[in-house]
Amino acid sequence: MNPIAKLFQSAKVFTWDFMLVLVNTFTPNLKSGEVVAQGHPGYKGKWPDYQPPKDGDSRCACPALNALANHGILPRDGKNISFKEMGRVVNESYNFAPSFCFFVPNYSANFMNKNYSKDTFDLAELSQHNAIEHDASLTREDTHFNADQSKPHIPFVEELLSYATGKDSEGRALLTADDIARYSAKRRADSQANNPEFSLETIHKFFSSSNNSTMLRIFGGRVDDLRTMLVEERIPEGWESVCQARKGLTMASFNRTAMTVEKATTKFLAKKD
């Protein structure tokens, strides 16, 4: 796609997203238990059987996508997935807005040099280094130390969850935006100090904070749910997205959270210097 066509496409997506923001503003939220629509996997918290990946299955650096394959909502082997299918399933399962669910798969198709409408991909292809995947992840070792991005690094996950300072109304542990930012700052500092190939350009910093913000905007920072998702890459029984907006989590809303997390991460990094 030439630069002019990309510009027009981006303008259309952001206009679409703005319209979804307006719909969310002026319409009631979805009811609890109905964030996943009737007839779709996960309706009223009933998720398909979980099966860990087998040898030869394809997985990536994204726990949420891996979980969809582990439950058979995406192909269990993680292979031959269309970009449209990925967007549709993420929308239906996690309640990201349709605009987001076009933008990310289309971006992925572009960095893979594939056709969004016609081609397929394996989940592992999403782990191309410094495309969306990046150094200083909260759940994976840097590719310099481990080229296999398909599995979580459990010590990182447990350390992240140990940073939780929040509590819900029933006293259960919650990660806050500052908790996530504080651990992200630690990961960036440690990675920069120990990884001779460390890189984290501005766009990857934003990807990092966007990925981290999913824990807040989709999972509500709930430590018990996050441990299941990040360690086992399994959707907890009875779970549904905390985002109940009728048209899902828009790019505009999500980006505000990501910018808040990135600003806090930068602040904590400055304190380390």
Side-chain angles (χ1 to χ4, degrees):
M1 184 181 293
N2 65 56
I4 299 298
K6 285 185 179 180
L7 181 63
F8 275 107
Q9 185 182 72
S10 296
K12 287 172 64 176
V13 172
F14 287 114
T15 300
W16 179 20
D17 193 73
F18 176 71
M19 298 304 294
L20 296 176
V21 170
L22 293 180
V23 174
N24 284 343
T25 301
F26 294 107
T27 58
N29 282 348
L30 298 166
K31 295 179 181 179
S32 294
E34 298 181 3
V35 174
V36 175
Q38 188 171 5
H40 294 289
Y43 176 62
K44 291 192 178 295
K46 297 185 182 299
W47 297 94
D49 289 343
Y50 165 85
Q51 296 177 17
K54 304 187 299 294
D55 288 345
D57 288 349
S58 185
R59 295 294 185 266
C60 65
C62 176
L65 289 177
N66 290 346
L68 293 175
N70 291 339
H71 284 277
I73 303 169
L74 286 173
R76 286 196 185 272
D77 65 1
K79 298 178 179 179
N80 298 313
I81 301 167
S82 75
F83 294 97
K84 289 183 177 180
E85 180 184 15
M86 178 173 77
R88 174 184 60 77
V89 167
V90 168
N91 168 250
E92 293 170 355
S93 301
Y94 296 125
N95 201 29
F96 277 100
S99 48
F100 178 95
C101 293
F102 167 77
F103 181 86
V104 173
N106 186 64
Y107 183 91
S108 301
N110 286 336
F111 78 68
M112 293 180 199
N113 294 314
K114 293 191 175 188
N115 185 293
Y116 167 82
S117 298
K118 299 177 181 179
D119 291 336
T120 64
F121 68 97
D122 297 348
L123 285 177
E125 294 179 82
L126 291 169
S127 295
Q128 180 178 316
H129 186 49
N130 281 342
I132 294 175
E133 184 276 334
H134 53 80
D135 285 337
S137 163
L138 305 194
T139 68
R140 263 69 175 168
E141 295 180 286
D142 292 354
T143 56
H144 174 77
F145 301 110
N146 188 352
D148 181 5
Q149 293 290 302
S150 66
K151 297 177 182 178
H153 185 62
I154 304 304
F156 287 169
V157 174
E158 292 296 346
E159 187 174 19
L160 163 67
L161 299 179
S162 76
Y163 273 51
T165 62
K167 298 286 184 183
D168 68 9
S169 60
E170 298 180 14
R172 293 172 295 197
L174 298 176
L175 280 170
T176 68
D178 272 0
D179 297 335
I180 291 170
R182 187 177 295 109
Y183 187 60
S184 183
K186 180 180 185 297
R187 283 287 300 121
R188 291 185 190 183
D190 289 350
S191 182
Q192 186 167 16
N194 296 301
N195 180 356
E197 298 179 315
F198 173 79
S199 65
L200 200 67
E201 302 295 335
T202 299
I203 189 171
H204 299 120
K205 290 178 181 178
F206 188 73
F207 282 148
S208 170
S209 290
S210 296
N211 294 336
N212 298 344
S213 295
T214 300
M215 293 186 279
L216 300 171
R217 298 303 307 273
I218 299 298
F219 286 87
R222 297 168 181 166
V223 168
D224 288 344
D225 289 344
L226 285 169
R227 178 172 282 110
T228 300
M229 171 59 73
L230 300 180
V231 173
E232 299 178 58
E233 301 190 328
R234 174 173 65 85
I235 302 174
E237 186 64 26
W239 180 88
E240 69 176 5
S241 172
V242 301
C243 176
Q244 295 180 312
R246 185 158 295 272
K247 292 299 181 180
L249 180 60
T250 61
M251 294 164 62
S253 180
F254 190 49
N255 288 346
R256 284 197 297 273
T257 303
M259 287 187 285
T260 297
V261 170
E262 180 57 32
K263 183 177 180 180
T265 302
T266 302
K267 177 188 72 175
F268 288 123
L269 267 173
K271 289 182 178 180
K272 292 179 178 292
D273 293 339

